[in-house]
Amino acid sequence: MADIEIDIGGEIFHAFYEEKDAPKTVARFRELLPFSDRIIHVRWSGEACWIPMGERDLSIGYENATSHPAPGQIIVYPGGLPTSVSETEILLAYGAVAFASKAGPLAGNHFLTIREGLDRLYKIGRSVLWDGNKPITFRKAG
């Protein structure tokens, strides 16, 4: 059974925590649930959508960090660190991604994975690109 239900503009996806590899990130994200915002298309990273979180300090540091999340992988750029070159953000890959900002390459903590419905996820990502932002909600599955 999935850990998280993600609603993107009325499309429902089920995701699983990567708790073994990103325990601090998973624990911090659980504290944020339910979490609602809007998702917009990335500018530099390729086929992905993101949730900008500004200067929010998640106090998690790096763990299980990647610059190339696969489709369905969700990463968080933790921000709040002296070495941070971008704002805190959540990024959801729907295709090929090379995570970056205007300051250059970034890495984010892979903490959540959508394993099924990647064809629908691709369509949602393209819709965000061409039609604009969509509401997104993460909630505990069940």
Side-chain angles (χ1 to χ4, degrees), residues 44-45 67 77 85-86 89 98-107:
W44 297 280
S45 299
S67 294
Y77 181 77
V85 295
S86 187
E89 64 186 86
F99 187 33
S101 74
K102 62 185 175 185
L106 297 174

Side-chain angles (χ1 to χ4, degrees), residues 83-96:
T83 57
S84 295
V85 295
S86 187
E87 67 185 287
T88 303
E89 64 186 86
I90 296 172
L91 181 137
L92 192 160
Y94 69 84

